[in-house]
Amino acid sequence: MTDNIPEVSIRIGGEPITFDLDDKNLPEAIENNAFSSGGYPYNKKLKRGDYEDELYLLQLELVKLQAWMQQTGERIVIVFEGRDAAGKGGTINAFRQYLNPRHARTVALSKPSDTERGQWYFQRYAAHLPTAGELVMFDRSWYNRAGVEPVMGFCTDDQHKKFLEEAPQFEQMLVSEGIHFFKIWLNVGQEMQIKRFHDRRQNPLKSWKLSPIDIKALHKWDEYTAARDVMLEATHTEHAPWTIVRSNDKRRARINAIKHVLSAIDYTGKDASASNETDPEILGSGPKFLNSFGA
């Protein structure tokens, strides 16, 4: 277990709920509604067998994609963003599982050092961009300045505003450089987020994933929602659009995220039938898709 965590008091559907993450039983209002939270369109997980069969075919395609990248020197950057416990790490692992780790990197930066705080904001992220033939996946990214930083008071209003103006310009440079650039927002319902936090707290192998700032975030759901909406409105551009993936079911989220990337690139030996159309109930583009289910 991590350090003691106090009782959590939140409002769900206008109703106050108080619970203790150290209690092995979650309130029924959370447990029973977790999967359907946020208007999720399915009532059951994708069957494990179907998931594993489809994931295997997609991972074969990812191996082909990487081989093509090595031959051509093409570069890919994928930014994974979303609330805490939205499934970023698991989705990245599904991408990377069978790729050569020498040419497929995950970047998950800690808080900036004193030196980095004195630099151009994008500088420490730019240092991790790919070289020829490389795939880089950001497990959180420069978009910290559009989410956790303004919500938690880690940046000023002026810094937040400046970021929203500069991020599309920075991303235009990446695209103009010839980098295949993807931004994926994993969207999780409120009750599902709480359930995943509870699962982490109860599992000693995962308790390290639950930090004090995660607990603070539980009380700031609406603030994070507002910051997300401002971010998407300002940075969903033609050259660098946001792809929204509904992630209450991690299996469907992983399958659709991989399909999205594979379908956007013409690589040698591509089997289009393996990366066929994404599920329009799970994956869509930008604020319009997010607004379609009122998340």
Side-chain angles (χ1 to χ4, degrees):
M1 287 289 181
T2 56
D3 294 338
N4 290 333
I5 293 176
E7 286 188 335
V8 177
S9 297
I10 60 172
R11 299 185 73 86
I12 295 180
E15 296 296 323
I17 297 178
T18 299
F19 58 95
D20 187 341
L21 287 174
D22 283 331
D23 187 336
K24 67 177 182 179
N25 297 312
L26 270 176
E28 288 187 7
I30 297 173
E31 185 71 49
N32 295 341
N33 296 313
F35 198 80
S36 62
S37 60
Y40 196 71
Y42 294 100
N43 55 25
K44 292 182 180 179
K45 292 181 180 179
L46 181 64
K47 290 182 180 179
R48 180 179 293 277
D50 293 342
Y51 165 69
E52 291 177 346
D53 289 346
E54 193 161 10
L55 181 62
Y56 173 76
L57 295 176
L58 292 172
Q59 288 175 329
L60 283 177
E61 293 302 304
L62 286 170
V63 170
K64 294 179 190 176
L65 173 65
Q66 187 178 51
W68 170 79
M69 292 173 64
Q70 289 292 287
Q71 293 166 2
T72 61
E74 295 288 334
R75 295 161 292 173
I76 297 176
V77 169
I78 311 175
V79 165
F80 291 90
E81 289 287 348
R83 299 181 195 263
D84 297 315
K88 296 179 290 295
T91 304
I92 290 170
N93 288 339
F95 270 88
R96 284 193 60 189
Q97 187 173 4
Y98 294 107
L99 298 182
N100 184 338
R102 294 181 179 178
H103 308 290
R105 291 188 287 117
T106 300
V107 178
L109 301 184
S110 59
K111 65 180 183 180
S113 66
D114 290 341
T115 298
E116 288 169 333
R117 279 193 289 270
Q119 296 173 344
W120 174 49
Y121 179 73
F122 294 94
Q123 188 168 336
R124 73 185 191 126
Y125 297 102
H128 294 276
L129 293 173
T131 189
E134 195 172 30
L135 164 64
V136 173
M137 291 173 282
F138 284 89
D139 185 348
R140 295 200 181 280
S141 67
W142 44 93
Y143 280 100
N144 282 332
R145 182 139 292 179
V148 64
E149 289 191 22
V151 171
M152 293 297 180
F154 298 154
C155 71
T156 67
D157 290 344
D158 285 345
Q159 287 173 326
H160 180 216
K161 180 180 178 181
K162 183 179 180 182
F163 170 82
L164 294 176
E165 293 170 351
E166 291 185 347
Q169 300 171 35
F170 175 64
E171 292 164 4
Q172 179 65 74
M173 288 189 286
L174 303 185
V175 175
S176 296
E177 173 62 18
I179 292 173
H180 300 275
F181 183 55
F182 301 88
K183 298 188 303 192
I184 296 176
W185 175 269
L186 294 169
N187 202 73
V188 66
Q190 186 175 18
E191 290 94 326
M192 180 57 79
Q193 183 194 49
I194 295 169
K195 177 176 171 56
R196 289 177 183 173
F197 278 178
H198 181 260
D199 291 344
R200 290 177 178 184
R201 182 65 173 173
Q202 296 297 315
N203 185 341
L205 296 177
K206 295 183 178 180
S207 59
W208 61 270
K209 291 185 173 184
L210 191 63
S211 69
I213 202 167
D214 293 333
I215 304 306
K216 290 181 180 179
L218 281 175
H219 299 89
K220 293 182 177 291
W221 179 268
D222 292 340
E223 290 90 334
Y224 270 102
T225 299
R228 176 204 65 189
D229 292 347
V230 169
M231 176 196 78
L232 292 176
E233 189 64 35
T235 63
H236 178 65
T237 61
E238 185 175 352
H239 61 270
W242 278 102
T243 297
I244 313 298
V245 179
R246 304 172 77 175
S247 64
N248 281 10
D249 180 3
K250 294 179 181 179
R251 295 170 184 171
R252 286 187 173 92
R254 294 167 187 170
I255 291 294
N256 281 274
I258 296 173
K259 282 184 176 183
H260 171 66
V261 171
L262 291 173
S263 65
I265 302 174
D266 291 324
Y267 52 90
T268 303
K270 181 175 183 176
D271 181 354
S273 66
S275 57
N276 53 10
E277 291 185 1
T278 55
D279 183 342
E281 296 284 346
I282 297 298
L283 184 146
S285 182
K288 185 176 180 180
F289 178 66
L290 201 62
N291 293 337
S292 71
F293 53 90

